[in-house]
Amino acid sequence: MKKSTHNSHCTCWNCPAINLAGKVDFRACGQTVEKFGIDGTGAQIMAECKRRPELGLFDPTAITFKECAEWQLTPCGYLLKDMRIMILGIDGYLGWPLALWLGKLGCKVSGVDNYSRRDWVKERGAHTIVPIARMTERLHAAKEVLGIDINFREMDILNRNRLKEFIDEVKPEAIVHYAECPSAPYSMIDFEHAKSVQSNNVIGTLATLFSIHEVVPETSLIKLGTMGEYGMPLTGRPLFEGFFPADAVLKWEGREWSMGGELTPRDPVSFYHVSKVQDTFNVYEACKYWWLRSYDVMQGVIYGVHTDHVAADPRLRTRFDIDECFGTIINRFVAQAVIGFPLTLYGAGEQIRGFISLEDAMQCITRLIAKPPEPGQYSVVNQMSGYCNLRKLAETVAKVGKEEFNIDVKIQRVENPRVESERHPFEPIFNKLPDEFGFQQNENLEQEIRKMFALLMQPHIKSRIEEKKHLILPRTWWSGVKKEVEQIELIENAADRDKREHIHVASTEVNDE
Ligand code: USQ
């Protein structure tokens, strides 16, 4: 199968434009598969198409996406013509580029946001170092520059009546849920912050689930989770995609059980990550009780600044945070390098994480939207394009800084304010996106780092980094202490170090190509 057509064989059974005739809840009706003969002999499941009612009732497995006139080929697979997609959290780092990305693919994009990300960052005294426009200006520029109409509604998804009304009005065929607070350190500041992160995330997701159930049960929910839900099992057990594989076995006191199909253990690493674990269970249960369809996306650490669409006009740029709460590591490192601040490596720096660029994340989400889950299906995908230890990352940033921009980058190891393993095994499994959804990494780490440098070196952005330089060193300790971390070691000539260690590291830990 060609990767671009990863969904050509899907049928109306996957399609959100389908009504299962009579809306029979097959699990609740108490009838078994044998009785209904789902294998084809006397199958009773019938469907009707909301887009093509003239077809009447038909077998939902009869028409493939390739054969259906409503599904049209795009670079990310077949997509429903004018597919209605709602993005919760459309004003954020990921939500805004996704809106433009999907709009350019011909989707009808709608979205909600209450601007809380802007407020949280402001509350910390920080700002996005890449300036971003107000939403009205963004919407105007999207229309003017890219020809995209976005149906935006300012709203808090915890206001369930408003959310439900908007969903009812738009009737989205897919919903991407990005409307969560993404910061581990922010959730560890104090009780009030832990509470606000958990209630925003957990109750927001619950409001979304109930609204989908009541208004658009056929839609697919693409929910953003995190690789951090799994933690770092010190046994070295692989981090499977949500569930144990069929041949996993539990042995205990001379007896054995199959673990196949069971959710794998979760071991979150902050109160923020705990909120994502709670979401996982809520989404999983909703799919089970109400036959909702969802992909839960365990995303690695995101980085980057570029998609062709956000780069098309300064008013279309997405935010780029570098403070301890809202900046992720690679983004922070590049900003630090640009102003000559030694890169802040926490603790030993041997922690390993999965990573994915902004642009690759957009591709993954689009491919998931294009191949909706079946009714009742809850699936987990681990979304990353590679993994690497943090020291190697810092050295890669130093190397690109030196070779391409002639910046002498230093690295500093500082006390680690977090409670996390600093040396640990790490074997993430991330096969589904490439194998089942046709995902192909578009740009490697170094190329994207180069693009970040090029943008961040612009004088107006560099001065915005300088302005907030005092917010770079972390002061939020998991222990509750509030104090700036101390330097443990200063590493000079970091770019040369990358050359010396490259072969060794590349063959053992780096898997970014
Ligand atoms: N770290 C440093 N130096 C820094 C910042 C971070 O060494 O200046 C270390 C941290 O101790 C941690 C790793 O880098 O070991 C990643 O930290 P991060 O702040 O880049 O990312 P994290 O807190 O893990 O959270 C981010 C996103 C979150 C997402 C998560 C994916 O903010 O929304 O869930 O990445 S994952 O890490 O795979 O759980």
Side-chain angles (χ1 to χ4, degrees), residues 4-18 49 52 58 60-74 76-81 83 173 220 293 295 366-375 437:
S4 63
T5 54
H6 67 286
N7 58 352
S8 59
H9 63 291
C10 293
T11 63
C12 307
W13 185 237
N14 291 75
C15 180
I18 199 179
C49 178
R52 297 167 72 192
F58 60 91
T61 62
I63 307 173
T64 64
F65 287 1
K66 193 176 172 186
E67 291 158 349
C68 176
E70 296 295 311
W71 286 82
Q72 295 179 336
L73 195 55
T74 75
C76 288
Y78 285 87
L79 262 185
L80 259 180
K81 204 166 38 181
M83 188 170 189
E173 290 159 315
S220 56
R293 323 159 176 223
Y295 291 130
T366 309
R367 288 178 173 279
L368 291 170
I369 290 170
K371 191 178 177 186
E374 297 179 1
F437 296 89

Side-chain angles (χ1 to χ4, degrees), residues 140-157:
H140 183 73
K143 177 73 184 161
E144 187 188 301
V145 181
L146 301 174
I148 301 170
D149 273 312
I150 297 171
N151 179 5
F152 173 73
R153 198 68 56 87
E154 180 180 346
M155 122 184 15
D156 186 339
I157 64 167

Side-chain angles (χ1 to χ4, degrees), residues 182 184-185 226-228 272-273 299-301 327-329 332-333 336 344-346 351 353 390 416 418 420:
T226 165
M227 282 302 290
Y272 149 73
H273 287 91
Q299 184 171 270
V301 183
T328 48
I329 184 164
R332 272 165 63 77
F333 280 176
Q336 292 166 9
T344 53
L345 204 46
Y346 298 173
Q351 303 91 311
R353 292 288 182 277
L390 306 185
N416 192 344
R418 306 184 179 200
E420 62 182 2

